[in-house]
Amino acid sequence: MSAPVLLVIAHGSRDPRHAATVHALVRRVRSLRPDVRVETGFLDFNVPSVQGVLESLETEGVRDVVALPLLLTRAFHAKADIPAVLADAPPRLRIRQAEVLGPSPLLLSALERRLYEAGLTPADKSSTGVVLASAGSSDPEAIAVIAEIAREWRHTGWCAVRPAFASASLPRTEDAVRELRELGCARVAVAPYVLAPGFLPDRIARGAAGADVLADVLGPSPEVARVLLERYEAARVPVLAAVGA
């Protein structure tokens, strides 16, 4: 029996860097698991649409799909938008929605990778304050997850870690940078907890003007690709069990 198709569901953006980054990440996932068919669909702005991909798969005779939200927290898109799109899928498809990517220790490793690529070293950790800069959400569950990630990351040796948000919630990146300065951290770094460039990551970058280091977005880092595959494997077991029932 062939493995279920992995459908990566991205939000989409008018910014062409977003789709380019999503496609780069999907290429890395394919390179890690050439035995798994991986497709990409977008909720908005970009093509192919999620609905279009699902209809094409059904036409080809595919029956089993794992739909994986390319999201870091369980906010509105994961709880409402994506389930609504999947509910309208062709009825012959058996679809299992995988969990969102975060939180995961691998994502913390990806954040540190980006900080080191931006110029920090492990020896800098104890004297560096980090702003964990998220896109933001009006969903309290998502905000609580970001705050918990910041607390957990602080315990790995950083001088301090503060969450910040580009929209919907406070504090903003620039406010968290200022707070870490006032705490007396020798240097301040901003780590965007976002997957791809776009409007809100650009706002994070502007808010990082007073920091010493600004890391890149997570993008197609190997750790993110591994998290995608972990979520896929966790979701595909119930799909296969249902097929065999």
Side-chain angles (χ1 to χ4, degrees):
M1 181 182 298
S2 60
V5 171
L6 168 56
L7 173 58
V8 176
I9 301 179
H11 182 273
S13 171
R14 293 186 178 92
D15 189 321
R17 297 174 298 168
H18 174 89
T21 302
V22 170
H23 291 310
L25 175 59
V26 169
R27 285 194 297 272
R28 186 179 285 275
V29 172
R30 287 178 179 139
S31 72
L32 293 174
R33 286 293 301 274
D35 59 311
V36 175
R37 178 175 175 181
V38 187
E39 299 291 342
T40 308
F42 295 91
L43 292 174
D44 206 353
F45 302 116
N46 302 105
V47 292
S49 68
V50 175
Q51 189 67 27
V53 174
L54 291 171
E55 290 173 358
S56 295
L57 291 174
E58 193 269 344
T59 299
E60 291 179 33
V62 170
R63 290 295 173 264
D64 299 304
V65 177
V66 170
L68 194 155
L70 197 59
L71 300 168
L72 294 172
T73 59
R74 270 184 49 78
F76 182 78
H77 293 305
K79 294 178 178 179
D81 283 354
I82 292 175
V85 172
L86 298 180
D88 287 335
R92 283 184 287 183
L93 288 177
R94 290 181 289 254
I95 303 175
R96 175 84 174 185
Q97 181 175 329
E99 292 295 329
V100 297
L101 303 185
S104 167
L106 284 170
L107 295 178
L108 288 181
S109 297
L111 287 165
E112 295 207 359
R113 170 192 289 275
R114 293 303 190 222
L115 286 170
Y116 297 149
E117 289 171 349
L120 293 179
T121 70
D124 296 324
K125 290 185 72 168
S126 62
S127 57
T128 300
V130 179
V131 178
L132 179 68
S134 167
S137 173
S138 58
D139 188 308
E141 177 187 349
I143 297 304
V145 167
I146 299 299
E148 179 58 30
I149 292 170
R151 285 191 291 270
E152 179 183 341
W153 202 15
R154 163 68 182 85
H155 294 311
T156 66
W158 296 100
C159 173
V161 179
R162 293 291 185 271
F165 307 94
S167 68
S169 306
L170 295 173
R172 295 286 184 257
T173 302
E174 53 269 32
D175 299 325
V177 169
R178 190 179 310 113
E179 180 184 352
L180 291 172
R181 291 283 188 214
E182 293 170 354
L183 277 176
C185 297
R187 67 186 63 77
V188 176
V190 174
Y193 190 61
V194 293
L195 288 166
F199 176 74
L200 293 178
D202 283 351
R203 181 179 287 178
I204 290 171
R206 291 193 296 272
D212 302 294
V213 173
L214 170 62
D216 199 357
V217 298
L218 296 174
S221 65
E223 295 87 354
V224 175
R226 287 168 58 196
V227 176
L228 261 73
L229 289 171
E230 284 185 356
R231 299 294 184 257
Y232 168 76
E233 289 297 335
R236 73 187 289 255
V237 173
V239 169
L240 297 179
V243 173

